[in-house]
Amino acid sequence: MTVQQQGSVSTFRRLMRYSKPYRGGFILAILGMIGYAAIDVYFINEFETFIDRGITEKDQNYFFWAPIVVVLLFAIRGVFNFISSYCLSWAGTHIVKDLRQQLFRQMMRLPVSFHDKHSTGELISKITYDAEQIKQASSKALVVLIHEGAFVLGLLIVMFSKSWQLSAIFLLIAPLIAVIVSLVSKRFRLISNRMQGAMGDVTSSSEQMLNGHKVILSFGGQAIEDQRFSDINNRNRHLDVKLESTRAISVSLIQTIASCALAFVIYLASFPEMLETLTPGKFTAILTSMMLLLKPLKQLTTVNSDFQKGMAAAAAVFKVLDEQPEQDTGSTELNRVQGNIEVKGLNFRYPGHDKQVLQDINFSVKAGQTVALVGRSGSGKTTISSLLPRFYEVEDGEILIDGHNIRDCTLASLRKQIAVVSQQVVLFNDTIANNIAYGFEGELSRAQLELVAEKAHVLEFASQLPLGLDTEIGENGVTLSGGQRQRIAIARALLRQSPLLVLDEATSALDTESERKIQGALDELLKNRTNIVIAHRLSTIENADLILVMDQGRIVECGTHQSLLAQNGYYASLYKMQFGDPA
Ligand code: ADP
Ligand code: MG
């Protein structure tokens, strides 16, 4: 067995575990398929009686019953067909649903570092395309294997019972077919693996175009995007054709081989000894069986490719399911903390990257204080703020909240302490009210909600809207301005009432006027908490209790606004650059 085959065997075993709860459905489907095939075989077998007794001997009794039996059997065949199709689809869709749900849940629970590495389009294609492929390909393989398999077996029995000499010739070609099948299936697996990747590329580049639509328009990037997509699109098409042509070649080859066998049978039948043992009915039944064998034999040869296709899709899905979810090994349940933060000897690299992003970071903030991080872009400010809620694991150094190492805390209780408002506001396709209340646990009265909306200056614009706070805002709040979206994010953070707040350049996407408007909302948010404020505008940080000046992952200066200006160092030069000489 090759490594690949072993791979698909273990993938198949694992898939079987998913089918366990729906075993009843599969068994019924298989019974239905066998019944269906059995009736077809019975018909072929009856050819002999029909010709020899009915037509040759002109048996009236036979002609009386035959039409009735035909209709009856076809009705039963229809029932079998329905049962097998229904049960198979019932069980198959259940498995797809389970896999999708599990993928969805898993992707949600995977650490930020996993999502850094994989594009959204690629992941979406796993939930949509790959999951569906598993069902399509595996059910097709099952149908062919059971239905066509039973049909082939039945036909062989019919043939052998009528004339084993003529039938034996047919079996001689079996090994030849087997060799071709194994050659073809290897190629199939290779191509379908690539095909899945290509499909992921199609989704992710479409997604990129849709997300960046405005940028593309304004930078006139249509031609470039068009070309990029055209390459990917064509690669996908190319693979599809390859898959189809491999299939076509193998089918034609197998049919040609089979036709040689058929020709040989006809030739053998012409020998006098043979002719003596054959009645017209027998010969018709054998010949019909052989002809009818070609199609299911062809399908049986591609069953492996369907199976491999399904297994390739399943393997891709399982790979995501096997990714290590976020480590939540801490056991300390943080109740509402006071908000003392202490960072000691913190060094950090992003997983899978060499660059040392943070070096020897030490600082502490007392409950209720505001610390401001300033520094050039890329100096590591956002990284510090992502380490606090443990979006990435700290390996070297420690972060303490109220004296608890955050690694020892449960993720849920840790994150409940922290509200993050950043430049990128994420809003859900829902009403303003529901967006503010997102993730809020417990009862929320309308008055409470309105109070928060008022404080965050959301009511200011919401009251102008026809449905007020109950206005739907579209996907990611497309109908709102940047400042309005930011105010909703602030309201959400206000409602959360977390003791720790991270403001990561919350206003940097806004123009001065909108910034002034939300300043009131921000001041409200900063009250009574420990705040980490990352700001690109120095004016917003003058009042901080502590300012950390960062450069290339290090804290190069720290102090208050006044003391840092007095030092006349890096901070002072940044300040001068923005406001001119303070003196
Ligand atoms: P700032 O917020 O001060 O602008 P960041 O903390 O975002 O800076 O980035 C600090 C450094 O870390 C940069 O050099 C950036 O390239 C790198 N970096 C940021 N995010 C990631 C990531 N997800 N994976 C790898 N490197 C990253
Ligand atoms: Mg940043």
Side-chain angles (χ1 to χ4, degrees):
M1 225 192 262
T2 66
V3 176
Q4 233 168 31
Q5 276 167 327
Q6 274 168 354
S8 24
V9 168
S10 67
T11 307
F12 179 67
R13 285 225 185 95
R14 189 159 167 194
L15 199 58
M16 286 300 282
R17 266 182 262 144
Y18 282 85
S19 65
K20 229 176 184 173
Y22 316 111
R23 214 171 5 184
F26 280 112
I27 292 175
L28 271 180
I30 288 173
L31 290 180
M33 287 185 250
I34 295 177
Y36 186 2
I39 289 180
D40 281 350
V41 169
Y42 176 79
F43 268 106
I44 312 298
N45 191 43
E46 274 307 290
F47 273 24
E48 181 186 351
T49 339
F50 179 70
I51 290 173
D52 291 347
R53 240 176 82 190
I55 294 182
T56 316
E57 293 170 19
K58 306 197 170 41
D59 184 337
Q60 284 308 314
N61 188 36
Y62 186 81
F63 276 122
F64 174 78
W65 285 110
I68 298 171
V69 173
V70 165
V71 173
L72 261 179
L73 281 181
F74 263 81
I76 298 174
R77 185 176 178 266
V79 171
F80 277 135
N81 185 30
F82 176 79
I83 291 176
S84 70
S85 308
Y86 181 86
C87 292
L88 192 61
S89 133
W90 176 82
T93 47
H94 260 298
I95 294 176
V96 171
K97 180 204 75 185
D98 291 350
L99 278 168
R100 282 201 173 129
Q101 192 73 35
Q102 221 187 342
L103 269 175
F104 186 90
R105 205 174 292 152
Q106 168 78 347
M107 286 182 189
M108 210 160 38
R109 284 201 285 142
L110 284 173
V112 179
S113 55
F114 173 85
H115 288 273
D116 286 348
K117 274 184 294 201
H118 299 269
S119 79
T120 316
E122 180 195 340
L123 295 179
I124 289 177
S125 139
K126 290 207 199 303
I127 296 182
T128 53
Y129 180 76
D130 289 1
E132 184 65 25
Q133 272 297 301
I134 298 178
K135 183 193 98 184
Q136 296 257 337
S138 315
S139 356
K140 194 164 162 226
L142 188 71
V143 168
V144 170
L145 202 65
I146 303 294
H147 176 239
E148 307 296 348
F151 190 47
V152 166
L153 199 71
L155 288 178
L156 285 175
I157 293 174
V158 168
M159 283 161 59
F160 272 90
S161 66
K162 297 193 190 311
S163 163
W164 67 265
Q165 297 97 325
L166 288 188
S167 312
I169 184 72
F170 229 81
L171 285 194
L172 289 180
I173 57 169
L176 243 177
I177 291 180
V179 170
I180 298 175
V181 170
S182 78
L183 285 180
V184 167
S185 72
K186 263 190 209 123
R187 191 168 161 76
F188 260 120
R189 183 160 170 128
L190 198 78
I191 301 175
S192 37
N193 267 339
R194 276 196 231 142
M195 181 96 181
Q196 262 160 26
M199 204 57 209
D201 290 346
V202 168
T203 354
S204 65
S205 76
S206 309
E207 195 214 348
Q208 197 174 323
M209 179 275 287
L210 295 171
N211 282 343
H213 182 236
K214 267 193 194 153
V215 180
I216 296 173
L217 289 191
S218 57
F219 283 86
Q222 289 99 330
I224 303 172
E225 293 301 322
D226 209 54
Q227 184 57 45
R228 200 202 322 263
F229 188 71
S230 152
D231 293 343
I232 292 170
N233 201 7
N234 197 40
R235 199 170 88 86
N236 191 41
R237 181 201 67 83
H238 191 71
L239 286 173
D240 216 350
V241 171
K242 251 190 184 169
L243 206 64
E244 229 21 78
S245 59
T246 314
R247 197 197 310 272
I249 290 173
S250 76
V251 166
S252 311
L253 201 61
I254 287 163
Q255 284 185 342
T256 311
I257 295 171
S259 75
C260 292
L262 205 59
F264 194 55
V265 166
I266 298 173
Y267 169 72
L268 274 186
S270 67
F271 283 78
E273 312 84 57
M274 268 296 177
L275 277 177
E276 262 165 38
T277 63
L278 286 175
T279 63
K282 266 200 173 104
F283 190 69
T284 312
I286 292 176
L287 214 58
T288 315
S289 300
M290 288 182 181
M291 308 263 254
L292 287 177
L293 267 175
L294 290 186
K295 191 175 150 255
L297 274 183
K298 175 197 88 179
Q299 286 189 313
L300 278 171
T301 57
T302 54
V303 72
N304 194 27
S305 81
D306 288 322
F307 176 73
Q308 297 292 353
K309 209 157 132 193
M311 290 311 114
V317 166
F318 290 149
K319 188 157 176 272
V320 175
L321 293 181
D322 287 341
E323 289 280 341
Q324 180 86 333
E326 281 190 306
Q327 289 297 302
D328 194 5
T329 46
S331 55
T332 310
E333 277 292 330
L334 289 179
N335 292 318
R336 201 186 156 76
V337 296
Q338 289 185 310
N340 298 297
I341 305 174
E342 214 173 329
V343 177
K344 290 189 201 161
L346 180 63
N347 293 299
F348 183 74
R349 287 189 171 94
Y350 278 97
H353 292 262
D354 285 336
K355 189 178 166 195
Q356 178 101 26
V357 174
L358 293 179
Q359 282 183 59
D360 196 28
I361 303 291
N362 294 285
F363 67 89
S364 64
V365 198
K366 295 231 163 46
Q369 285 190 332
T370 295
V371 57
L373 299 178
V374 283
R376 267 185 247 154
S377 108
S379 55
K381 306 179 297 289
T382 299
T383 306
I384 292 187
S385 74
S386 335
L387 291 180
L388 210 58
R390 268 173 67 193
F391 287 148
Y392 301 90
E393 289 295 334
V394 171
E395 313 262 313
D396 186 3
E398 49 191 30
I399 300 178
L400 309 175
I401 293 181
D402 278 10
H404 301 285
N405 189 332
I406 57 168
R407 294 190 68 164
D408 303 331
C409 303
T410 61
L411 281 177
S413 75
L414 170 67
R415 289 175 184 169
K416 215 178 273 177
Q417 312 297 324
I418 307 168
V420 180
V421 179
S422 74
Q423 185 182 338
Q424 292 109 9
V425 176
V426 175
L427 296 179
F428 296 91
N429 193 356
D430 205 336
T431 61
I432 295 179
N434 286 339
N435 264 291
I436 294 178
Y438 187 78
F440 187 82
E441 289 167 357
E443 284 293 307
L444 180 65
S445 70
R446 188 71 185 184
Q448 234 175 322
L449 188 81
E450 277 173 6
L451 184 68
V452 167
E454 162 92 65
K455 280 187 182 168
H457 299 250
V458 169
L459 269 189
E460 213 175 288
F461 66 88
S463 54
Q464 319 262 322
L465 298 169
L467 293 175
L469 289 175
D470 296 314
T471 310
E472 296 274 344
I473 57 172
E475 195 179 352
N476 205 10
V478 281
T479 56
L480 302 175
S481 78
Q484 292 170 337
R485 294 155 47 87
Q486 199 57 270
R487 279 181 269 174
I488 293 179
I490 290 171
R492 191 190 276 165
L494 261 179
L495 189 61
R496 212 176 147 92
Q497 296 193 328
S498 337
L500 304 175
L501 172 74
V502 175
L503 279 186
D504 188 352
E505 313 209 3
T507 60
S508 65
L510 307 180
D511 53 82
T512 323
E513 192 185 334
S514 331
E515 188 179 3
R516 193 143 36 80
K517 275 195 188 145
I518 77 163
Q519 197 59 52
L522 280 179
D523 290 341
E524 191 64 43
L525 190 57
L526 292 172
K527 276 184 203 160
N528 310 322
R529 295 166 213 272
T530 308
N531 303 300
I532 296 185
V533 180
I534 302 172
H536 69 304
R537 269 170 224 172
L538 292 175
S539 58
T540 45
I541 50 173
E542 281 170 355
N543 299 324
D545 299 294
L546 176 69
I547 299 172
L548 304 175
V549 186
M550 298 197 56
D551 190 35
Q552 299 189 14
R554 292 171 191 277
I555 297 178
V556 288
E557 285 174 16
C558 70
T560 60
H561 178 64
Q562 289 307 330
S563 74
L564 284 171
L565 279 187
Q567 263 185 39
N568 205 13
Y570 190 74
Y571 181 81
S573 70
L574 273 179
Y575 192 84
K576 274 180 210 148
M577 213 152 56
Q578 217 171 48
F579 298 105
D581 204 315

